[in-house]
Amino acid sequence: MAPPPPAPAAAAAAARAGGLVLWLHGSAETGEQSRGQIAPYFSAAPALRLSFPTAPIACVGDLVLNAWFGIPEIPITATTVRDEEEVLEAVERVHEMLDKEVAAGTCPTNIFVCGLSQGGALAIASVLLYPKTLGGCAVFSGSVPLSKSFAGRVTPEARKTPVLWFHGMADGVVLFEAGHAGCAFLQELGMTCEFKTYPTLGHLLVDEELQYFRRWIFDRLGISQGTEAARPSSSSLSNHEDLH
């Protein structure tokens, strides 16, 4: 006789025990576009939940597009200054998502905040200002959108969150110097930041990055990689040229 199905509460708790990847897209993209690029890499881990929110509509010059906060200039450099009030408003929205997830029973150390370009910038800002240690933060072609004056607001618990950073040296939208400076800032805070450099990579996602990203997530969650999904086709990857 087959055992009875688990009660709804127990099933929900089991699902949340598998962890969450919160992915923040780059400007001019949507969460659903990111889902198509990222989700295939995690198909072998059904207990791991993926969330792909979409940024609000914003006016950037003459353009109307999805953006987490304003775009001051292109390219983004190591000295680019953002409107930090706008960045903090976006951080608050991410923190609301995280708080809701934790309140529902997800262990903070099973939550990963990740993103590409402007989404990567928001991801690292959100992790720095979140009062709990999270499972990790992955930044793809991003930058730190806050000045060093915010260092005093980074709690000891937040400094324990590990960071994985990918950046191409041929990136013409978010310059390599911006990524390198961001990683150096994290290391000044005493944080662990693994910085992956790709000499010929521009401002886009490639399979090599996403394969490594998947292994990094699985290792931290203790998920066996013996049954990894087949490599997604190259057509599912992003030739990402957002406005940051």
Side-chain angles (χ1 to χ4, degrees), residues 44-75:
L48 177 63
R49 290 171 299 112
L50 308 174
S51 178
F52 298 93
T54 294
I57 297 293
C59 293
V60 179
D62 295 330
L63 301 176
V64 178
L65 46 78
N66 297 105
W68 300 107
F69 46 83
I71 302 166
E73 63 181 5
I74 300 172

Side-chain angles (χ1 to χ4, degrees), residues 207-220:
D207 179 72
E208 184 179 350
E209 293 177 297
L210 294 173
Q211 293 277 355
Y212 192 93
F213 170 56
R214 175 176 61 188
R215 290 194 299 271
W216 188 77
I217 296 285
F218 282 9
D219 284 347
R220 276 151 184 76

Side-chain angles (χ1 to χ4, degrees), residues 144-166:
V144 174
L146 300 170
S147 67
K148 290 189 176 183
S149 64
F150 279 80
R153 295 177 57 176
V154 183
T155 68
E157 292 305 308
R159 296 177 194 225
K160 296 176 185 176
T161 300
V163 178
L164 175 63
W165 198 304
F166 299 90

Side-chain angles (χ1 to χ4, degrees), residues 32-55:
E32 282 307 302
Q33 287 175 314
S34 293
R35 182 184 298 277
Q37 299 160 10
I38 307 303
Y41 284 86
F42 295 93
S43 60
L48 177 63
R49 290 171 299 112
L50 308 174
S51 178
F52 298 93
T54 294

Side-chain angles (χ1 to χ4, degrees), residues 32-130:
E32 282 307 302
Q33 287 175 314
S34 293
R35 182 184 298 277
Q37 299 160 10
I38 307 303
Y41 284 86
F42 295 93
S43 60
L48 177 63
R49 290 171 299 112
L50 308 174
S51 178
F52 298 93
T54 294
I57 297 293
C59 293
V60 179
D62 295 330
L63 301 176
V64 178
L65 46 78
N66 297 105
W68 300 107
F69 46 83
I71 302 166
E73 63 181 5
I74 300 172
I76 300 296
T77 73
T79 58
T80 296
V81 177
R82 279 81 160 190
D83 184 327
E84 291 184 337
E85 287 189 11
E86 290 186 0
V87 175
L88 292 175
E89 287 177 6
V91 166
E92 286 182 10
R93 290 196 292 271
V94 175
H95 285 181
E96 288 173 2
M97 299 178 205
L98 298 177
D99 288 342
K100 184 179 297 185
E101 195 62 37
V102 172
T106 306
C107 177
T109 55
N110 286 345
I111 298 175
F112 298 82
V113 185
C114 315
L116 170 66
S117 194
Q118 190 184 71
L122 177 55
I124 190 59
S126 300
V127 166
L128 288 173
L129 297 179
Y130 198 63

